[in-house]
Amino acid sequence: MNGHVKSMHFQQFMEPAATLLSLLLVMAVDSTRTVSASRNPGCNSLQQTLKLTRLVEKESVDLIKTYKVSQGEMSELFCKVSVNDVPDSNISGLEPSEWIVSIFTHLQAFFPHFKRVYEQQTDLQSPTSPLLAELTTVSTRSRSLAAFISSFYQGLFPNLPVPEPAGGPTTLPPPKNVFQQKVYGCVVLKTYKEFLSNVSQKLRTLKPKVCRRRMQINTLFFF
Amino acid sequence: MVSAKEVQLLVLSCLIFALPSTGDRPGKPENLSCIAVQEERYISPNITCVWEAAGRQTGFVPTTYTLNVRSNIGMYNVSTREKSATVSVGLFPNHETLDIWVEAHNTLGKVESEHLKEEANWFVKTNPPSDVRVISERTFPTSLLINWAHPIDEVYVKLTYEIRFCPSGSQNWTYVPLVDTAKGIQSFRLQNLQPDTVYVTQVRCKNAIERGYWSNWSTNATERTPEDRPRSKPDLWKIITEDESTARQVWFICKDPVLSNGRIIRFDIKIQDHKDRVKNRSGELESIPVNRSKADPSPSQQKITILKQISLDDKKSVEVYVTAVNSVGKSPEASLVITEKVNELPTVKDLKVQRNGGQLCLEWKPPARPVSEYVVEWVSGSRIDWQREKGSTKNTVIKGSLEKFVSYTVSVYPLYSGVTGKPASKEAFLEEGVPLIGPAVKLKGKPGCNEAELVWNEIPQHSRRGFITNYTIFYTSGTKTHNITVPANTTSYTLKSLSRSTKYDTWVIASTIRGSKRGFNHSFTTLKYGTGEIEGIVVGVCLSFLFVVLLTMLLCIYKKDVIKDNFWPRIPNPGESTIGNWSPDYPLKTETPKENCLSGISVLDVDVCDGKCGSEDDKASLPLKKDKYLSEEHSSGIGGSSCMSSPRQSVSDSDEGGDMADTTASTVQYSSVVASSNGYKGQTPNFQPQQAIFSRSESTQPLLDSEENPDMLLQEGSRQSQHFSRQPSFTHTAGNEDSADPADFNQLEMEQQVLEPLDFCPLEEETTPTDGQSADGLPAALVSSYMPQLGGYRPQ
């Protein structure tokens, strides 16, 4: 067998190989989207959580506007007053496993305050006031968000214990006068909005890791 | 042996299995689909689902369906007997995963449908994009910018959009590919549009993540692209008419460029003599302003502009250059060359024009010389339109809008690099119909007796509505209707074999392939007499009358005597009777007794009284009458014998024949004088042979004494004869009066003279002078009044 024939065989092999390689490359590039969406439950969960966080954040912004409008004059000042016993908006923990839990816990902490604000505003507003509907909406979505956070955490850290809802009743401030109630309600909503913004930021930091990691795995698989 | 009981059980079991069961387990619901629509700013919490029920449903065992929706925050369900239901989840769980299924259950069992486990936004149908606006930018004449607003905040549903657009008035939408519209955009730029064109745009949206329901299309957003300079040449053409002079009248016409890209405000035209072009001399540029409306004309209704009219000599050729100008700029230049008439380039061959499917199809054979382009032109009345075809085309369809029942002159012009060749033309109808009016028939000139020439005018072009195939002429006189078919190129016809003096009703119908149209009736009456007939008849009658008159006149002239005798018989006038004397010895002259002569001497005419004359005397006297004789034998008449010598001719002359006999037949002949051989023997012997004068009266009266006495008579006779000669008178009355002319007088005189010498021969044989005859026939009378006649009496 002469070398010419051998080179011919090699050339004949190279063409289909190149074609196959190109095809694989295209599939790999296309898979970054689909894989991240459909074949990566964690990524999907993260994306859903992110969307819901943005949704709740947006609704909380609208809620604050509605709240201010419904409180009458000097409503701008209400949110600038500091109030004790309102959860802060910061998220603790450095690791994702820690601050995800922190997010979940904080969310849970806001629920009683939502309820208190709703009760107070029920006395202050008419039954058909949009403030009450929006308060209900934000509260309901927040519960959904909490469930999403929990599900995301479980999916991301299946081996870690499931974060438990906050035990015991949250310490609510004592009943106040109307002004104080108005201030209280504005502070709660404002703090919640800031909290959600922090949550959104935190979750976005996870996206490259959670969604890209799977893509890297798939890419390695193809090669 | 099988007992009866066993058989009964067997039959019963068979019946149980054969009979349909009264109820079944519920069928599994299939094809479950759910939708949640937008309400105001949010997605409605009401989720509506529909499904199909499989299996048989019976009224005995009804099936209940329960729609279940599970979200992260709870479980919701609703039951129904229908195949659709709406469940409220309180707050639509955007971005959450929903688990939806349907349970079908009845008393016999329960079955679940397939679970729809999808993100909640998969079931969302939002409102269409709101506030869609289209922006036109002058710097981009082929582009439009579309802006819109999200129908719902993206935090609820991230949307993807679809855009479509079409020119205003068209229903052919152009869809922007989805890949070109990124998710969540709110504007898009349409490109590669036509300048100065109104476009209609619509936008819709749906959940950006794979599945979802498209919203409805937004309301129309309409905008016109900016103008651009014309990008194609104007469609330049010409109309040439030839007059009696050697010059052609040429109208240059054109249509706006196909890519006008704006409203054309003027045309610039330059006409140049072909020779000038060769010498590099350009003609003057002339601007022709036009007034166009802003509305876009459809391509089939492009307006034609008449640019200029010139008079072109048959021996000259010109080149024309035209550009169209709008508010932005000029179009490319269009040109056309019209050659000398004698140098017209060859035309196409075998041009055929046919109707096919509501269009006119043309087919032709190209000329030998290569053609760069064809121009198909169609003209109807004052309207003209044309279209251009490639040089390789051999058949085409007229793309313009043609009207039915209108005649078009379709022509194909070959163009040889802008130089117009000779056209080939044909008449055609898009669709033929029945003519609107029928031909008006009338008579040419006046009708004849048996024929009449009819003429009619051709139906006007605009009323024909088709090619006339033939004319049919109808004519009727009331009893029977006749018809004659003539070719279409005929406008007159002569009806023949018509009846005289008959009223005819006639009409003409014109026929096309679609039907016929009758014209108005025209009535006429044929003549009773032809031209010249009456004149001929009159002339004939007149001639005949004239002939009759002439004949009558001639008859009268030549037969006047007969007529006279018949109508006015000659009656002797006794008052004019005369006694004539003759001498028997006197030689008889061969004179013919005249009509007007004294008829005192008469001779019996045997001819006159053929049957009546029976006496022997008459017979004996016959020979005497017939001949002239000189004998003296005469017969005597009534009243005695009287003899008459016959020197004179007897009255009845044979020569005279019947005339005289006829003439004298009317006179009374009642005696003849028979003379003896010895002559007349008178009663008085007279030895002197003197002439005896015999006179005899022609009257029937007896002889008078004077007559009986000859002597007296001789004297008297001489006196009377003289008297008679002096006074010629006639015994005839009426008849002679007419002939009382000098000639007759002379005749009478001559007769008198003849009579004068006549004397009676004295009778000698008679014994008694009293007896017998007197010389003049009166001897007997001298004796007595009567003498026995010898000759007998011939009665009248």
Side-chain angles (χ1 to χ4, degrees):
Chain A
M1 186 175 270
N2 51 29
H4 179 68
V5 173
K6 282 184 183 175
S7 65
M8 287 295 292
H9 280 303
F10 179 75
Q11 284 173 2
Q12 287 176 358
F13 172 75
M14 278 305 292
E15 288 175 3
T19 306
L20 182 62
L21 195 65
S22 305
L23 187 63
L24 289 171
L25 194 61
V26 169
M27 289 169 62
V29 170
D30 185 62
S31 68
T32 53
R33 257 194 290 172
T34 54
V35 164
S36 60
S38 61
R39 297 192 180 178
N40 189 350
C43 181
N44 192 31
S45 178
L46 174 63
Q47 286 180 344
Q48 275 188 299
T49 307
L50 260 173
K51 289 176 188 175
L52 190 57
T53 306
R54 290 198 196 111
L55 175 57
V56 181
E57 183 183 354
K58 188 262 183 188
E59 284 183 335
S60 67
V61 170
D62 293 339
L63 176 60
I64 291 170
K65 290 177 187 173
T66 306
Y67 185 88
K68 287 179 179 177
V69 169
S70 62
Q71 303 308 310
E73 294 177 359
M74 298 173 67
S75 58
E76 287 297 327
L77 298 174
F78 297 154
C79 294
K80 293 180 181 176
V81 177
S82 62
V83 174
N84 296 327
D85 301 326
V86 174
D88 63 290
S89 58
N90 295 322
I91 299 171
S92 60
L94 295 174
E95 294 298 323
S97 59
E98 293 172 355
W99 54 259
I100 291 175
V101 172
S102 170
I103 289 171
F104 179 76
T105 308
H106 266 78
L107 273 172
Q108 297 282 336
F110 275 98
F111 294 158
H113 294 276
F114 287 146
K115 187 177 176 185
R116 171 62 73 86
V117 171
Y118 182 83
E119 291 169 351
Q120 291 173 351
Q121 293 303 318
T122 302
D123 297 333
L124 297 175
Q125 307 294 328
S126 67
T128 58
S129 169
L131 176 62
L132 299 176
E134 288 188 37
L135 278 169
T136 306
T137 301
V138 169
S139 177
T140 305
R141 292 223 197 268
S142 298
R143 293 180 190 279
S144 297
L145 180 60
F148 266 78
I149 294 293
S150 174
S151 172
F152 174 62
Y153 179 83
Q154 290 179 40
L156 205 59
F157 306 105
N159 298 324
L160 294 178
V162 177
E164 294 289 334
T170 304
T171 307
L172 294 177
K176 303 288 172 83
N177 55 29
V178 172
F179 177 79
Q180 288 171 330
Q181 290 175 2
K182 290 182 180 183
V183 169
Y184 166 75
C186 192
V187 171
V188 168
L189 295 179
K190 179 183 165 224
T191 306
Y192 185 65
K193 185 200 73 150
E194 290 172 358
F195 166 74
L196 290 174
S197 176
N198 294 334
V199 170
S200 178
Q201 286 179 6
K202 282 289 186 181
L203 290 174
R204 276 201 294 270
T205 61
L206 274 180
K207 195 174 180 182
K209 295 175 185 177
V210 173
C211 295
R212 194 170 295 176
R213 187 176 69 178
R214 183 62 67 178
M215 184 189 74
Q216 287 174 346
I217 292 170
N218 292 337
T219 306
L220 284 170
F221 172 76
F222 282 121
F223 282 97
Chain B
M1 281 291 287
V2 178
S3 66
K5 224 178 206 177
E6 288 168 353
V7 170
Q8 283 176 0
L9 284 169
L10 190 63
V11 169
L12 201 63
S13 61
C14 288
L15 282 173
I16 288 168
F17 283 109
L19 282 173
S21 59
T22 55
D24 290 328
R25 286 168 59 85
K28 181 180 177 181
E30 292 173 348
N31 297 331
L32 175 64
S33 64
C34 301
I35 187 169
V37 297
Q38 180 178 343
E39 278 183 6
E40 296 179 358
R41 294 187 299 156
Y42 311 106
I43 302 299
S44 168
N46 300 324
I47 301 174
T48 302
C49 298
V50 295
W51 58 91
E52 293 173 5
R56 192 177 57 167
Q57 300 294 319
T58 62
F60 297 101
V61 183
T63 303
T64 301
Y65 300 97
T66 302
L67 174 63
N68 300 286
V69 177
R70 183 189 295 139
S71 68
N72 286 347
I73 54 176
M75 175 83 171
Y76 310 89
N77 54 43
V78 66
S79 294
T80 181
R81 291 276 174 89
E82 306 297 329
K83 294 170 192 172
S84 67
T86 301
V87 65
S88 178
V89 298
L91 179 66
F92 189 80
N94 298 88
H95 309 295
E96 294 183 36
T97 300
L98 291 179
D99 185 9
I100 305 176
W101 73 98
V102 175
E103 284 180 2
H105 62 270
N106 60 15
T107 54
L108 299 178
K110 180 172 79 174
V111 66
E112 274 186 16
S113 69
E114 295 292 332
H115 285 234
L116 276 182
K117 206 168 184 179
E118 304 290 350
E119 188 182 319
N121 285 347
W122 281 28
F123 307 105
V124 167
K125 179 179 179 182
T126 65
N127 292 338
S130 60
D131 197 22
V132 179
R133 290 179 293 122
V134 183
I135 299 167
S136 166
E137 299 157 302
R138 192 169 178 81
T139 52
F140 299 104
T142 60
S143 173
L144 286 174
L145 182 64
I146 308 172
N147 289 337
W148 63 89
H150 294 306
I152 192 169
D153 201 301
E154 278 195 308
V155 297
Y156 296 99
V157 181
K158 192 144 188 173
L159 298 171
T160 184
Y161 295 91
E162 187 176 34
I163 303 166
R164 69 178 186 180
F165 62 94
C166 68
S168 177
S170 167
Q171 295 299 317
N172 295 329
W173 293 100
T174 303
Y175 291 81
V176 176
L178 289 173
V179 297
D180 293 341
T181 51
K183 297 168 191 164
I185 61 170
Q186 287 185 280
S187 66
F188 188 81
R189 180 175 292 280
L190 298 174
Q191 299 189 72
N192 299 323
L193 305 176
Q194 287 300 318
D196 193 45
T197 304
V198 177
Y199 285 91
V200 178
T201 310
Q202 290 180 334
V203 187
R204 68 175 180 177
C205 57
K206 78 171 181 71
N207 181 25
I209 303 173
E210 295 186 15
R211 290 178 59 181
Y213 293 96
W214 281 105
S215 70
N216 297 332
W217 287 103
S218 67
T219 54
N220 288 349
T222 306
E223 188 55 64
R224 179 187 289 268
T225 49
E227 285 193 4
D228 194 12
R229 73 177 185 87
R231 296 288 180 180
S232 63
K233 299 184 286 186
D235 194 348
L236 177 61
W237 194 229
K238 46 80 183 171
I239 302 173
I240 296 180
T241 57
E242 300 188 16
D243 53 19
E244 295 175 352
S245 64
T246 57
R248 295 168 286 178
Q249 297 302 317
V250 182
W251 282 266
F252 293 108
I253 56 177
C254 77
K255 297 180 196 174
D256 291 357
V258 173
L259 302 175
S260 293
N261 296 339
R263 189 163 61 97
I264 301 297
I265 56 176
R266 76 168 194 268
F267 290 97
D268 292 340
I269 183 170
K270 183 170 70 178
I271 300 175
Q272 186 174 301
D273 197 286
H274 189 67
K275 293 175 187 172
D276 289 346
R277 179 177 173 274
V278 172
K279 295 176 187 174
N280 274 339
R281 278 188 283 169
S282 64
E284 285 184 10
L285 190 70
E286 186 179 342
S287 292
I288 297 158
V290 292
N291 191 11
R292 295 266 190 274
S293 62
K294 198 67 174 168
D296 278 336
S298 59
S300 62
Q301 296 176 355
Q302 272 193 309
K303 192 171 179 179
I304 296 172
T305 305
I306 300 174
L307 298 174
K308 197 175 172 67
Q309 180 199 348
I310 63 169
S311 181
L312 181 64
D313 195 273
D314 288 348
K315 297 177 184 175
K316 286 193 174 178
S317 68
V318 289
E319 293 183 23
V320 182
Y321 302 93
V322 174
T323 55
V325 181
N326 65 10
S327 62
V328 179
K330 277 188 179 184
S331 73
E333 192 176 62
S335 66
L336 189 66
V337 177
I338 300 176
T339 61
E340 299 92 340
K341 196 171 177 184
V342 293
N343 290 339
E344 274 190 321
L345 297 171
T347 183
V348 301
K349 304 169 199 168
D350 300 337
L351 172 64
K352 294 177 189 173
V353 182
Q354 294 168 339
R355 288 185 293 270
N356 187 9
Q359 289 179 311
L360 280 181
C361 303
L362 281 71
E363 196 177 330
W364 64 86
K365 289 181 184 170
R369 188 167 166 171
V371 176
S372 60
E373 197 178 25
Y374 290 102
V375 171
V376 177
E377 174 194 87
W378 56 98
V379 179
S380 168
S382 59
R383 288 183 294 178
I384 182 173
D385 204 350
W386 67 94
Q387 67 190 43
R388 292 178 184 267
E389 302 290 340
K390 293 178 188 172
S392 56
T393 307
K394 294 179 187 175
N395 55 72
T396 186
V397 170
I398 291 182
K399 300 178 181 69
S401 61
L402 300 176
E403 293 181 25
K404 294 180 185 177
F405 316 129
V406 172
S407 174
Y408 289 94
T409 303
V410 180
S411 306
V412 176
Y413 289 81
L415 262 64
Y416 305 91
S417 302
V419 180
T420 316
K422 197 174 179 182
S425 302
K426 276 232 166 160
E427 297 281 334
F429 282 87
L430 178 63
E431 185 175 326
E432 292 190 56
V434 179
L436 285 176
I437 58 175
V441 66
K442 61 180 179 181
L443 270 184
K444 184 177 181 181
K446 291 190 176 180
C449 297
N450 304 111
E451 58 185 40
E453 187 175 3
L454 302 175
V455 292
W456 59 90
N457 294 328
E458 286 188 346
I459 299 171
Q461 193 72 263
H462 59 270
S463 299
R464 261 181 233 172
R465 289 161 59 109
F467 292 113
I468 303 295
T469 53
N470 56 59
Y471 294 102
T472 304
I473 305 162
F474 289 84
Y475 62 99
T476 176
S477 61
T479 53
K480 189 180 175 186
T481 302
H482 306 268
N483 63 76
I484 301 164
T485 302
V486 297
N489 56 0
T490 311
T491 56
S492 67
Y493 188 80
T494 302
L495 300 176
K496 296 185 179 173
S497 303
L498 304 177
S499 303
R500 287 171 178 264
S501 185
T502 307
K503 184 176 179 185
Y504 282 90
D505 214 10
T506 179
W507 64 92
V508 176
I509 65 170
S511 302
T512 64
I513 58 171
R514 288 290 182 180
S516 305
K517 185 70 178 180
R518 174 174 166 166
F520 290 113
N521 287 16
H522 180 77
S523 299
F524 64 91
T525 305
T526 51
L527 299 176
K528 192 171 185 180
Y529 299 105
T531 305
E533 277 189 21
I534 294 179
E535 290 83 351
I537 292 171
V538 169
V539 167
V541 168
C542 289
L543 287 175
S544 303
F545 180 74
L546 193 64
F547 178 74
V548 168
V549 167
L550 284 175
L551 195 66
T552 306
M553 281 180 62
L554 287 172
L555 200 66
C556 288
I557 290 169
Y558 287 106
K559 296 292 179 182
K560 63 179 178 182
D561 294 334
V562 175
I563 294 169
K564 187 177 172 183
D565 290 341
N566 280 295
F567 285 99
W568 302 277
R570 190 176 175 186
I571 302 174
N573 189 359
E576 293 175 354
S577 63
T578 56
I579 298 173
N581 298 320
W582 80 94
S583 172
D585 292 335
Y586 192 81
L588 286 172
K589 289 180 183 177
T590 60
E591 290 177 356
T592 58
K594 301 299 177 190
E595 197 173 87
N596 296 327
C597 66
L598 288 173
S599 56
I601 303 170
S602 62
V603 180
L604 284 174
D605 189 358
V606 177
D607 292 335
V608 174
C609 37
D610 281 336
K612 297 178 183 176
C613 304
S615 64
E616 293 180 354
D617 292 341
D618 296 333
K619 290 179 185 175
S621 65
L622 282 174
L624 297 175
K625 292 177 185 174
K626 292 184 182 176
D627 299 323
K628 293 180 185 177
Y629 53 91
L630 298 175
S631 67
E632 296 175 355
E633 295 182 349
H634 297 279
S635 63
S636 63
I638 297 175
S641 64
S642 60
C643 64
M644 183 174 67
S645 62
S646 62
R648 68 181 296 272
Q649 187 177 7
S650 71
V651 175
S652 58
D653 185 43
S654 63
D655 289 340
E656 296 291 332
D659 290 344
M660 290 305 296
D662 292 337
T663 304
T664 55
S666 59
T667 61
V668 176
Q669 298 177 358
Y670 62 95
S671 67
S672 64
V673 178
V674 176
S676 66
S677 59
N678 295 328
Y680 178 68
K681 296 180 174 65
Q683 62 271 31
T684 306
N686 189 356
F687 298 106
Q688 289 179 358
Q690 48 181 310
Q691 290 181 346
I693 299 171
F694 179 80
S695 65
R696 182 80 182 170
S697 170
E698 289 191 354
S699 74
T700 57
Q701 298 297 319
L703 289 172
L704 301 173
D705 292 342
S706 60
E707 292 176 350
E708 292 177 352
N709 297 321
D711 294 337
M712 290 175 65
L713 286 174
L714 283 173
Q715 292 175 3
E716 288 293 324
S718 62
R719 281 200 299 273
Q720 284 183 5
S721 63
Q722 288 177 3
H723 176 74
F724 182 79
S725 66
R726 293 189 205 107
Q727 296 180 359
S729 63
F730 306 93
T731 56
H732 293 280
T733 54
N736 293 334
E737 288 174 0
D738 293 337
S739 57
D741 54 0
D744 291 332
F745 272 118
N746 294 333
Q747 196 173 6
L748 281 172
E749 287 178 355
M750 290 169 66
E751 289 177 351
Q752 286 178 358
Q753 292 172 0
V754 171
L755 285 171
E756 284 176 356
L758 294 176
D759 293 327
F760 281 108
C761 293
L763 286 173
E764 297 178 357
E765 294 179 355
E766 298 293 328
T767 58
T768 57
T770 57
D771 297 342
Q773 309 80 1
S774 59
D776 53 0
L778 297 173
L782 295 175
V783 179
S784 65
S785 295
Y786 292 95
M787 292 291 287
Q789 293 184 31
L790 298 177
Y793 169 70
R794 292 276 185 265
Q796 291 180 359

